[in-house]
């Protein structure tokens, strides 16, 4: 046996004897020294494992929270986009309403409900307008005013939306008169952009460009609202003049309208309209 | 009596004597003398077989049983001077009485040093003072030297020789 072997074996025995002695000796707390050694050896890895477990738990929780936050963020982003869209729509509506209001400054005082044009079918002469949530109920045949004058009348009500018959629709008619009230006539839609003015005598003092307003004789439209301007006057030998007129309110560019509330007009004019 | 049993009895007597050295009625520094030290440094200095090295562990365990609060530290402390002596004797090849004194005193220093080192992690009291260690080294070295002197004197051989002379007369 060489010295190196002897030293190795001795060192091994020393370690065993020291451990054996540590198993007998007790510290101040009454625990054996060997137990405190084992605890000192095991505490760092156990603590590290605990910290790792906590860190992993925190990581998982954080990942879940981040997913929740991302989902919430996405929802809020969509909601913000929706609100921006609604805001843009409301601003558009407000601008259109202001424009309509400004255009109605020249009209007689009336009580009306603002509505937004949702859909136009110029081929059939129909408009779909909406009064918005919480608006009052609208009756059939309610006159509709647009930019500069009469647009038409309500022919069907569907909740807060209603279909409006344009003056240019074929067979649509409105009783008109000149501003001075000397000439009475009937304006009829043609299905095109112009109106035919019927029952004007050959001696009527009309000129091209003259404005015709509602006379109120039809019982639907209140008197005094602009309807059309005369675009041509022809004499064909019949008892009446053949007159064509262009509507003052252009349904092509219309964005907002006013639904004239007859009941409120009967109670007295309120400055809700222009 | 067989050789192993004789060694066992002599070691036991040595430890019992060591116990007596610590008796309150003996001198204060009497217990500083480590009587079993010749058993530890003797075999390498006498160039005995290597198996005698493990005797130090037996002496150490017995020392633990008799003198220490825990078992194990004495075995380490007693095997340390044995290891040093086995290695040192193989290098120096010195077997005179002076060598016994040196190895005895040095082995005692190693004993107390290793014993203190073993006690340190266990938190056990009992580390001796430097004066105690010095006295222990000196006394133990002298003890080992005296043991070698007795061995070198070879009293049984001289006794037999004297008896032979007497018979011739």
């Amino acid at each position: 046996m060489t010295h190196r072997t002897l030293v190795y074996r001795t060192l091994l025995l020393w370690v065993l004897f020291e451990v054996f002695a540590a198993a007998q000796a007790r510290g101040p707390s009454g625990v054996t020294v060997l137990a405190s050694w084992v605890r000192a050896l095991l505490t760092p890895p156990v603590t590290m494992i605990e910290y790792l477990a906590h860190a992993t738990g925190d990581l998982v929780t954080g990942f879940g929270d981040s997913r929740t936050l991302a989902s919430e963020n996405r929802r809020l982003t969509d909601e913000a986009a929706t609100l921006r869209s609604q805001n843009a729509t409301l601003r558009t509506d407000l601008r259109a309403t202001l424009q309509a209001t400004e255009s109605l400054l020249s009209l007689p005082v009336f009580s009306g409900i603002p509505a937004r044009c949702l859909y136009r079918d110029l081929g059939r002469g129909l408009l779909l307008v909406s009064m918005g949530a919480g608006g009052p109920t609208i009756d059939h045949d309610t006159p509709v005013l647009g930019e500069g004058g009469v647009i038409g009348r309500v022919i069907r009500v569907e909740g807060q939306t209603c279909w409006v018959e344009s003056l240019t629709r074929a067979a649509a008619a409105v009783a008109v008169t000149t501003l001075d009230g000397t000439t009475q006539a009937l304006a009829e839609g043609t299905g095109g952009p112009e109106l035919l003015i019927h029952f004007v005598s050959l001696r009527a003092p009309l000129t091209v460009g003259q404005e015709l307003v509602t006379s109120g004789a039809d019982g639907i439209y209140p008197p005094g609202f602009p309807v059309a301007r005369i675009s041509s006057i022809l004499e064909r030998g019949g008892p009446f003049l053949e007159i064509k007129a262009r509507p003052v309110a252009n349904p092509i560019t219309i964005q907002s309208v006013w639904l004239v509330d007859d009941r409120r007009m009967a109670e007295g004019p309120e400055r809700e309209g222009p | 009596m067989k050789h192993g049993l004789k060694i066992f009895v002599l070691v036991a007597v040595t430890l019992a004597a060591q116990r007596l050295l610590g008796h309150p009625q003996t001198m204060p520094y009497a217990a500083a003398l480590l009587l079993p030290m010749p058993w530890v440094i003797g075999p390498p200095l006498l160039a005995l077989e290597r198996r005698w090295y493990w005797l130090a562990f037996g002496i150490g365990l017995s020392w633990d049983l008799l003198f220490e609060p825990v078992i194990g530290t004495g075995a380490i402390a007693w095997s340390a001077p044995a290891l040093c002596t086995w290695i040192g004797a193989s290098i120096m090849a010195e077997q005179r009485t002076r060598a016994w004194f040196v190895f005895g005193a040095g082995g005692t220093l190693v004993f107390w040093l290793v014993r203190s080192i073993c006690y340190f992690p266990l938190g056990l009291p009992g580390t001796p003072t430097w004066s105690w260690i010095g006295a222990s080294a000196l006394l133990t070295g002298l003890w080992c030297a005296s043991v070698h002197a007795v061995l070198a004197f070879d009293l049984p051989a001289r006794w037999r020789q004297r008896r032979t002379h007497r018979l011739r007369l």
Side-chain angles (χ1 to χ4, degrees), chain A residues 1-3 6-7 9-10 13-15 17-18 20-27 33 37, chain B residues 50 53-54 57 61 69-73 75-76 79-80 83 86-87 90 118 121-122 124:
Chain A
M1 187 167 55
T2 62
H3 285 321
L6 186 70
V7 169
R9 290 182 180 179
T10 302
L13 282 174
W14 285 2
V15 171
F17 279 129
E18 186 69 12
F20 186 61
Q24 304 164 63
R26 292 184 180 276
V33 176
W37 287 359
Chain B
R50 183 62 63 85
Y53 169 74
W54 305 110
F57 284 94
L61 290 173
V70 293
I71 296 174
T73 55
I76 298 172
S79 60
L83 181 66
W86 277 100
I87 295 175
S90 64
C118 290
L122 301 178
L124 295 174

Side-chain angles (χ1 to χ4, degrees), chain B residues 95-119:
Chain B
Q95 297 183 356
R96 288 181 294 181
T97 304
R98 190 171 55 186
W100 280 69
F101 174 78
V102 170
F103 279 107
T108 304
L109 292 175
V110 170
F111 170 82
W112 289 117
L113 178 65
V114 173
R115 179 178 176 275
S116 300
I117 292 173
C118 290
Y119 269 37

Side-chain angles (χ1 to χ4, degrees), chain B residues 144-155:
Chain B
C144 292
S146 62
V147 168
H148 179 257
V150 170
L151 290 176
F153 190 69
D154 198 2
L155 193 60

